[in-house]
Amino acid sequence: MTVEATADPDFLEVTEPYRRELLAHCYRMMGSHHDAEDLLQETYIRAWRGYARFDGRASVRTWLYKIATNTCLTALGSKQRRPLPSGLGGDSYDPEAPLLQDHEVPWLEPFADSDESLAETSDPATIVGSRESIRLAFIAALQHLPERQRAVIILRDVLQWRANEVADTLGLTTATVNSLLQRARAQLKEIAPERDSVSEPQDAAQKELLQKWVEAFQSYDIDAIVQLFTDKAIWEMPPFTGWYQGAEAIGRLIRGNCPAEKADDMLLLPATANGQPAFGLYMREPDGVHRPFQLQVLDVTGDGVAHVVAFFSDTMVEDFARFGLPATATLPATGEPVQPAMAD
C-alpha cells in the first residue's frame, strides 16, 4: 500500500512538492535509481507515521531530508558500494580481449533526471549546481566514501546545510561533522580531482558534436566515432567489467564487439541522464525491428567526448521507459536528423 492511498490530504499537500528533489537526494546517497525509489517511498511512509508529532520547529523540507538521510543510512549498512568498472581498480583493459560480465557486482545506475528533480529552488544557478552534484563522476566518487562521510558531504556541500543542522540530523557533534567533512573532501579530491582545466562546450558546439555522434553511429562510421573522443577518453559498460582508455582503443573495442554491421543497424534517440547528454541506442534485430541495446551517458568537454558509460541490463525496455524512450525505434524520414537532447 502506498502513502498516496493512506495519507490525509494535508500531509500530501505539504510534503508532495519535495518528492522529486528527495528522490535525487536518495540517489546521491545510494547510487541506484531503483533503491532511491524504494527508499523515497519508505521515507514518505515514515513521515506519514510521524506527521502528527511534527512540531514545525524545522521546515517540512528539512524534516523530510532528515528522515530520508537516515533511511538511506540504514539501507547502506547492509549494501555494497556501487562502482563503475573503472572504479574497481587496475589498469584499462585490452580492447581485443574477451568481454567479461559480472552480475554479482551491484553496479552504479544512471539517474533519469529533470530540472524539477535536481533543483531545490527555481534559481538557475541552483539548478546548474545541483546538476553538477548528480553527474555520474561525482556519484561514482561518492561510492568510495563511508556512509556517514557520504551523508555529511551531501548535506554540507550539495544542500549547503550548516554544520549544526547536519549534526542534529545525524545525531553527531558539530566537531565530528566538521572532521567527517574534512576527510570526505580530501578523499574526493584524491579520487576525482577538480575539472577546473576542462572547459565545457557552448550550447551550439555541444549540439553540433552530439549531432555528429548520432550520425557516426547510425552510419556505422567507426573512424568518425573515434574522431569525436578526446585522446584520453574512457569507455565503460557495466555489467561488463572492463574499461577502456584512448580514442583508438575504444575504436578497436567497437570494431571487435559491436553487433552492428552496416549503416542503420543502430539508431540513437536522445535523452538526459545525471544532468548529462544521453542516448538510447537501439540495435536492429533479425526481424528488422530496432530494440533497446544500451543507454549511453556522455561526458562532453570542449575538446570532445571525454567519457561514455554505456549501461546494459536484462530489463532494457523498462530502463529505457524511465528515460522517456520507447520500446522500439524506427528510422527517421530522409532529411530528418535525430536532434540530440541538451542538458540545459
Side-chain angles (χ1 to χ4, degrees), residues 48-122:
W48 169 63
R49 289 172 177 167
Y51 185 58
R53 300 187 300 277
F54 175 60
D55 57 16
R57 286 185 295 177
S59 68
V60 171
R61 179 173 178 265
T62 299
W63 176 64
L64 288 172
Y65 267 97
K66 181 175 182 178
I67 296 171
T69 301
N70 284 290
T71 300
C72 289
L73 284 172
T74 299
L76 283 169
S78 60
K79 291 182 180 290
Q80 297 175 289
R81 72 180 182 93
R82 287 183 171 272
L84 290 173
S86 58
L88 294 177
D91 297 330
S92 60
Y93 280 51
D94 179 354
E96 294 167 354
L99 298 180
L100 300 176
Q101 297 188 51
D102 190 338
H103 291 282
E104 299 301 317
V105 175
W107 298 104
L108 189 70
E109 295 176 358
F111 184 70
D113 55 35
S114 66
D115 283 350
E116 291 77 14
S117 67
L118 297 180
E120 293 79 27
T121 75
S122 59

Side-chain angles (χ1 to χ4, degrees), residues 30-32 80-89 102 104-110 136 139-144 150 236-241 309 311:
M30 305 303 298
S32 162
Q80 297 175 289
R81 72 180 182 93
R82 287 183 171 272
L84 290 173
S86 58
L88 294 177
D102 190 338
E104 299 301 317
V105 175
W107 298 104
L108 189 70
E109 295 176 358
L136 272 177
I139 302 301
L142 287 176
Q143 295 296 305
H144 292 269
R150 195 183 307 181
E236 47 193 330
M237 44 189 188
F240 294 94
T241 56
V309 184
F311 291 94

Side-chain angles (χ1 to χ4, degrees), residues 6-44:
T6 58
D8 60 72
D10 181 55
F11 172 80
L12 291 178
E13 182 180 357
V14 299
T15 62
E16 195 63 21
Y18 305 104
R19 179 177 291 272
R20 289 296 299 172
E21 64 176 273
L22 285 168
L23 177 63
H25 178 62
C26 291
Y27 173 75
R28 292 184 187 103
M29 289 288 295
M30 305 303 298
S32 162
H33 198 132
H34 292 92
D35 286 351
E37 289 176 329
D38 291 343
L39 291 169
L40 177 67
Q41 183 66 15
E42 178 64 23
T43 294
Y44 269 79

Side-chain angles (χ1 to χ4, degrees), residues 128-197:
V128 172
S130 296
R131 181 178 293 115
E132 288 300 312
S133 72
I134 209 77
R135 292 177 73 89
L136 272 177
F138 180 68
I139 302 301
L142 287 176
Q143 295 296 305
H144 292 269
L145 299 180
E147 296 94 313
R148 291 198 305 178
Q149 286 187 28
R150 195 183 307 181
V152 166
I153 202 163
I154 292 171
L155 294 173
R156 289 284 280 121
D157 285 358
V158 175
L159 299 180
Q160 301 294 307
W161 283 22
R162 296 188 298 272
N164 65 313
E165 293 176 308
V166 178
D168 178 66
T169 294
L170 302 180
L172 303 171
T173 66
T174 301
T176 300
V177 166
N178 289 333
S179 176
L180 289 171
L181 179 62
Q182 185 177 14
R183 293 202 297 268
R185 285 174 173 169
Q187 191 165 348
L188 284 186
K189 188 174 182 179
E190 182 179 344
I191 296 166
E194 294 293 330
R195 287 167 29 108
D196 294 338
S197 61

Side-chain angles (χ1 to χ4, degrees), residues 120-336:
E120 293 79 27
T121 75
S122 59
D123 177 22
T126 302
I127 293 175
V128 172
S130 296
R131 181 178 293 115
E132 288 300 312
S133 72
I134 209 77
R135 292 177 73 89
L136 272 177
F138 180 68
I139 302 301
L142 287 176
Q143 295 296 305
H144 292 269
L145 299 180
E147 296 94 313
R148 291 198 305 178
Q149 286 187 28
R150 195 183 307 181
V152 166
I153 202 163
I154 292 171
L155 294 173
R156 289 284 280 121
D157 285 358
V158 175
L159 299 180
Q160 301 294 307
W161 283 22
R162 296 188 298 272
N164 65 313
E165 293 176 308
V166 178
D168 178 66
T169 294
L170 302 180
L172 303 171
T173 66
T174 301
T176 300
V177 166
N178 289 333
S179 176
L180 289 171
L181 179 62
Q182 185 177 14
R183 293 202 297 268
R185 285 174 173 169
Q187 191 165 348
L188 284 186
K189 188 174 182 179
E190 182 179 344
I191 296 166
E194 294 293 330
R195 287 167 29 108
D196 294 338
S197 61
V198 180
S199 61
E200 298 288 344
Q202 298 298 314
D203 284 354
Q206 176 168 302
K207 185 174 181 179
E208 181 181 0
L209 186 150
L210 294 177
Q211 185 60 48
K212 289 180 179 179
W213 182 266
V214 171
E215 292 169 354
F217 272 90
Q218 294 189 165
S219 62
Y220 193 57
D221 187 342
I222 297 176
D223 289 336
I225 295 172
V226 168
Q227 291 175 6
L228 298 174
F229 285 108
T230 62
D231 290 341
K232 296 183 178 180
I234 291 175
W235 178 285
E236 47 193 330
M237 44 189 188
F240 294 94
T241 56
W243 64 281
Y244 309 87
Q245 186 164 33
E248 292 300 326
I250 296 170
R252 297 203 306 274
L253 174 76
I254 296 173
R255 284 190 178 91
N257 294 281
C258 180
E261 298 177 346
K262 59 185 183 304
D264 295 335
D265 278 353
M266 295 182 284
L267 297 180
L268 273 67
L269 294 184
T272 58
N274 295 78
Q276 300 170 231
F279 291 99
L281 189 154
Y282 295 77
M283 190 71 65
R284 192 204 307 266
E285 296 189 353
D287 61 1
V289 177
H290 289 83
R291 293 188 174 88
F293 182 71
Q294 64 180 213
L295 179 78
Q296 301 176 346
V297 183
L298 281 61
D299 186 358
V300 179
T301 74
D303 296 324
V305 177
H307 196 163
V308 176
V309 184
F311 291 94
F312 290 84
S313 79
D314 295 329
T315 58
M316 290 305 299
V317 173
E318 292 84 351
D319 292 345
F320 270 39
R322 278 198 292 120
F323 293 87
L325 295 167
T328 60
T330 56
L331 288 167
T334 303
E336 296 182 8

